[in-house]
Amino acid sequence: MQQPPVARRSPVVREHHGDRFEDPYAWMAERDTPEFLAHLEAENAHATSRTEHLAALTEELYQELRSRIRETDLSVPVRHDRWWYYSRTVEGEQYAVDARVLVADCPQRPTLEGDEPPAGEEVLLDSNAEAAGHDFYSVGASETSPAGDLLAYAVDVTGDERYDVRVRRIATGEVIDEAVRRTGGSLAWSLDAGHLFYTRVDEAWRPHQVWRHEIGTPQEADVLVHEEADERFFVGVGSSRDDRHIVIAIGSKTTSEYRILDAADPLGTPRVVAPRRQGVEYDVEPVGDRLYVSHNAGRPNFELAVAPLTSTSADEWRPLDVTTSDEYLTGVDGFADFLVLSLRREGQTALRVVARDDSSPTGLGERHDVALDEPVVAVHVGSNPETATSTVQVVHESLVTPRTVSDYDVATRSLTVLKQQEVLGGHDPADYVQRREWATAPDGTRIPVSVVHHRDVAADGTAPGLLYGYGAYGISSDPWFSVLRLSLLQRGWVYAIAHVRGGSEMGRPWYDAGKLAAKPNSFADFIACADHLGASRIVDPDRLAAEGGSAGGLLVGAVMNQAPDRFRFVSAAVPFVDALTTILDPTMPLTVIEWEEWGNPLQDPAAYALMKSYTPYENVAPVRYPALLVTTSLHDTRVYATEPAKWVAALRHATRDLTDAAPVLFRTEMAAGHGGQSGRYRLWRQWAWETAVLLDLTAPRSAAETVAIPSEVGT
């Protein structure tokens, strides 16, 4: 049986604020050295060797997944100007085809003709043809020109999220411009399509500049439109819904600023909507001659205001009383006759429709909420490129309801289902039970937990369970439907989502209560959720697994150190586990902007001490950890492969003398980025293998004693 790789130890001393730390694997920071690459390949070989016995189960899971998916399919066509726009997939092809059909030729939404594309189809972008010859392929942005004759799209073929831009004449397929290289991925057209706006990134992978490119000219002739010198801020560029405005978004973790440029005057100077004020975040939605602004200047959960389109100061923002203080306003979509507000309340998402009424003092009329009849559901605004419309596309799904796209008629307050994700072989939501549980954290805070399982699974403490968590950056882990998850549920598993502090499930204060000095709350919440599932006999505590990726990888990694006995198995994807080392280095991607999330350990001894107390890599101990699967990607720009590689090496070394050390598997995708492999079939195989490992390493103890992955002794 192949032994796990043993990484070279060569201690490098780090000293800050009187603390001395010896980092034995600091050499792994050089990711392109032959030694590091060879180490990753050796880890891949070890993972393959130790899971050879799972080949049949992996194939079974892969075929299960495929059997439930309609591989030749069409998205819901969306009308924009003279065209129906959609994407479609073809059985056997890795990527989607983006295309359109003239409304004049097809007054009703186009459909597939058997497995053939709609009649009169005009292909915008066939990513299968574009991806030929590349192990990785991803489109960062794809924008049709206002007149509809050109397509600009940004392509990444390594996974490092640095995009090359191509401009294609749609009618002929001819690429007429490919001068712009190594961009940040966001794009916006001038109204006449003579110019294209895009972002560039600095050495720390921070989008910090907006440039204007004249179609058909070399990149050297491009003009700098905006440069952001403050390293805490990212920059993005896009267009308003009606294509009349170029919108430049500038934001840190706590502060934002917007600039608007008339798209008919691309050579002009963008106008500041309101100068930035530390701690004030806002977003803008131009509609006609008005600007709708959602902001937190006077309310933590944000509120809506209106201002003239020409506004240059927050003093011009007039408040609109359309939400309450306990409703978190997360966005506004503006149309000719109404607004749609995206909200969070009581841990759930919601949509509110507000009529526009020029005869009223506020310019707004009656309001109502979109009604959905499910106890645990996620709903958001879908694709709505037209401003003049009487309906709005909404998307909802839950742990048991497949993704459903509907048209919501604002006047009749009725939903018309346009398409629900099809599950081949049949799927009855009534076969499953979903509900919201509440765990209690050590400080008394109630933590929501979304739970789903098959209706035949009893709460008798015998079911295996998988607990997912993220809890950072204010990103909420709303319930979602998963075809892959059905393979677990039909095998008697319980799946749960821990909505820990650090996300925004319970409003903006929920995020603030899980960042900076309050970050340890996220870890305590996750442990509390695990304990609740066990104490309530919803799962068997001895067969409970944890899963988290990126900042969620930090979450499960920290919990492994704080409560190594809580989980039988942990899956950590692209995990941010050497957080302190990264946040101490301002030249690293994302570091400076992250100081408002984690603290600045370079300048603040308290922030340094706190991060050192929980960062997974620096707290590895010689204890029996759960079985562990770690996955990463070589070209990940957000979390370098260095971090999980160091963590795994430290775990192997710390537990080398334990006779009952649990398995540690580490696999790196050598041609991928932060999101893993590209291409749906490759992703499905990756998911199937990871699920097979989960099932194997959480088998009942009597079976686990005889599985083919033994304890890793002697490393």
Side-chain angles (χ1 to χ4, degrees):
M1 181 66 67
Q2 179 178 346
Q3 293 298 309
V6 178
R8 173 173 63 86
R9 293 171 62 83
S10 181
V12 173
V13 175
R14 182 193 74 206
E15 292 191 64
H16 289 277
H17 310 297
D19 177 72
R20 178 184 173 91
F21 173 69
E22 286 193 357
D23 187 347
Y25 304 112
W27 63 268
M28 292 185 181
E30 301 298 326
R31 293 170 297 139
D32 56 354
T33 64
E35 181 181 14
F36 183 64
L37 295 175
H39 178 71
L40 296 183
E41 294 285 10
E43 285 283 7
N44 284 350
H46 173 253
T48 299
S49 172
R50 290 298 180 94
T51 58
E52 286 178 342
H53 66 296
L54 299 179
L57 178 57
T58 299
E59 184 64 22
E60 177 185 336
L61 290 164
Y62 174 70
Q63 293 302 334
E64 278 182 23
L65 180 60
R66 284 194 66 178
S67 71
R68 297 188 182 110
I69 297 173
R70 183 167 297 284
E71 296 178 40
T72 298
D73 204 0
L74 184 79
S75 70
V76 174
V78 175
R79 180 171 178 173
H80 184 42
D81 196 18
R82 300 179 299 121
W83 301 87
W84 292 107
Y85 288 86
Y86 56 86
S87 64
R88 59 181 176 84
T89 54
V90 178
E91 183 173 355
E93 298 286 1
Q94 294 278 8
Y95 303 98
V97 176
D98 297 322
R100 66 184 184 182
V101 171
L102 276 169
V103 173
D105 295 340
C106 185
Q108 303 301 315
R109 281 187 171 88
T111 60
L112 292 177
E113 300 179 1
D115 282 345
E116 296 302 312
E121 175 181 273
E122 188 171 56
V123 172
L124 304 176
L125 182 64
D126 182 350
S127 289
N128 299 290
E130 294 282 324
H134 299 290
D135 293 328
F136 181 91
Y137 175 85
S138 177
V139 176
S142 177
E143 299 291 340
T144 306
S145 62
D149 57 334
L150 301 177
L151 177 75
Y153 57 104
V155 173
D156 170 18
V157 294
T158 64
D160 66 357
E161 298 183 71
R162 289 171 170 84
Y163 300 88
D164 294 341
V165 178
R166 298 167 190 163
V167 178
R168 167 174 289 159
R169 195 173 303 283
I170 297 172
T172 63
E174 175 192 5
V175 174
I176 63 171
D177 192 313
E178 48 186 339
V180 177
R181 305 279 180 173
R182 307 292 285 173
T183 76
S186 56
L187 302 170
W189 282 103
S190 65
L191 199 58
D192 65 359
H195 295 85
L196 191 65
F197 293 80
Y198 66 93
T199 56
R200 288 185 187 174
V201 297
D202 61 16
E203 291 301 314
W205 188 71
R206 177 180 68 100
H208 69 126
Q209 295 173 333
V210 175
W211 289 76
R212 184 181 68 241
H213 173 71
E214 184 175 359
I215 302 302
T217 65
Q219 187 171 15
E220 292 75 21
D222 291 355
V223 176
L224 178 64
V225 176
H226 175 77
E227 181 169 20
E228 181 53 53
D230 191 329
E231 293 181 89
R232 297 175 301 156
F233 287 79
F234 274 25
V235 175
V237 65
S239 300
S240 60
R241 191 183 311 274
D242 60 7
D243 294 325
R244 289 176 50 200
H245 310 285
I246 306 298
V247 180
I248 298 174
I250 308 161
S252 75
K253 297 294 182 186
T254 62
T255 307
S256 55
E257 180 179 276
Y258 278 81
R259 300 181 179 217
I260 293 180
L261 174 67
D262 186 343
D265 182 23
L267 306 187
T269 301
R271 168 181 50 83
V272 177
V273 172
R276 70 190 68 172
R277 286 184 289 162
Q278 179 62 34
V280 175
E281 298 173 73
Y282 70 93
D283 198 355
V284 298
E285 175 77 344
V287 184
D289 61 355
R290 297 178 185 175
L291 199 62
Y292 291 96
V293 184
S294 55
H295 67 90
N296 68 344
R299 183 184 290 177
N301 271 332
F302 288 68
E303 59 186 314
L304 189 65
V306 65
L309 181 64
T310 55
S311 166
T312 58
S313 168
D315 294 337
E316 299 179 78
W317 297 353
R318 184 160 49 92
L320 299 171
D321 185 21
V322 291
T323 59
T324 63
S325 61
D326 59 352
E327 293 176 323
Y328 182 21
L329 176 63
T330 59
V332 57
D333 287 84
F335 302 91
D337 298 323
F338 57 89
L339 308 176
V340 181
L341 311 184
S342 296
L343 306 173
R344 303 198 68 88
R345 59 173 180 243
E346 299 176 350
Q348 301 270 30
T349 53
L351 298 177
R352 177 167 298 159
V353 178
V354 184
R356 298 183 68 201
D357 181 359
D358 289 337
S359 66
S360 77
T362 64
L364 299 179
E366 64 178 14
R367 70 198 69 159
H368 67 272
D369 291 354
V370 177
L372 293 170
D373 187 23
E374 276 199 82
V376 182
V377 66
V379 60
H380 65 269
V381 177
S383 178
N384 296 278
E386 295 288 303
T387 301
T389 178
S390 61
T391 63
V392 60
Q393 186 189 103
V394 300
V395 182
H396 78 274
E397 63 186 314
S398 74
L399 293 169
V400 301
T401 301
R403 184 177 187 272
T404 304
V405 181
S406 303
D407 261 350
Y408 182 74
D409 189 299
V410 172
T412 64
R413 303 186 182 183
S414 60
L415 283 166
T416 300
V417 174
L418 302 176
K419 186 182 182 68
Q420 185 173 77
Q421 178 185 354
E422 187 175 5
V423 181
L424 299 183
H427 168 71
D428 185 353
D431 288 340
Y432 304 91
V433 177
Q434 66 170 341
R435 64 183 180 278
R436 177 63 55 83
E437 293 278 330
W438 294 88
T440 302
D443 64 1
T445 302
R446 298 176 73 232
I447 313 301
V449 189
S450 297
V451 176
V452 64
H453 57 79
H454 195 275
R455 64 184 181 185
D456 293 337
V457 172
D460 59 4
T462 64
L466 177 59
L467 181 63
Y468 171 83
Y470 188 77
Y473 306 114
I475 296 173
S476 299
S477 299
D478 293 315
W480 71 95
F481 182 79
S482 166
V483 172
L484 176 65
R485 189 190 300 136
L486 293 178
S487 291
L488 288 177
L489 300 183
Q490 292 178 2
R491 286 172 168 80
W493 278 69
V494 174
Y495 184 86
I497 304 170
H499 302 288
V500 303
R501 283 172 283 185
S504 293
E505 286 89 341
M506 302 295 288
R508 178 56 183 259
W510 199 251
Y511 168 39
D512 295 334
K515 64 184 291 193
L516 297 171
K519 187 60 196 173
N521 285 336
S522 303
F523 316 133
D525 292 354
F526 196 75
I527 294 170
C529 291
D531 289 345
H532 175 81
L533 294 175
S536 303
R537 297 176 62 78
I538 295 170
V539 302
D540 176 358
D542 188 52
R543 299 186 65 198
L544 180 60
E547 178 183 33
S550 195
L554 182 151
L555 174 71
V556 297
V559 166
M560 277 177 56
N561 287 326
Q562 295 177 18
D565 60 341
R566 288 306 199 284
F567 297 98
R568 177 79 170 279
F569 171 82
V570 170
S571 174
V574 291
F576 184 40
V577 284
D578 192 18
L580 182 53
T581 300
T582 296
I583 299 301
L584 281 167
D585 185 354
T587 68
M588 294 280 283
L590 307 177
T591 288
V592 176
I593 196 171
E594 298 280 305
W595 286 342
E596 292 182 330
E597 179 78 20
W598 312 99
N600 181 353
L602 269 177
Q603 303 298 328
D604 184 353
Y608 178 93
L610 182 65
M611 289 197 72
K612 187 171 184 183
S613 74
Y614 65 69
T615 190
Y617 173 61
E618 296 187 30
N619 288 280
V620 169
V623 299
R624 191 187 193 284
Y625 286 105
L628 179 64
L629 171 62
V630 182
T631 54
T632 191
S633 300
L634 180 61
H635 300 302
D636 188 345
T637 309
R638 302 176 187 230
V639 180
Y640 283 172
T642 300
E643 295 200 28
K646 291 171 64 175
W647 185 44
V648 167
L651 285 164
R652 293 199 196 286
H653 181 78
T655 60
R656 66 193 183 283
D657 295 328
L658 299 182
T659 58
D660 61 345
V664 177
L665 301 175
F666 178 34
R667 189 162 87 169
T668 302
E669 297 299 335
M670 305 302 283
H674 193 65
Q677 296 189 77
S678 67
R680 56 180 179 159
Y681 293 101
R682 288 191 288 266
L683 274 174
W684 296 349
R685 285 205 174 274
Q686 176 182 328
W687 294 341
W689 178 78
E690 292 172 5
T691 303
V693 172
L694 164 69
L695 293 173
D696 188 53
L697 292 176
T698 53
R701 289 289 182 183
S702 57
E705 291 171 357
T706 61
V707 295
I709 302 182
S711 298
E712 296 177 351
V713 181
T715 62

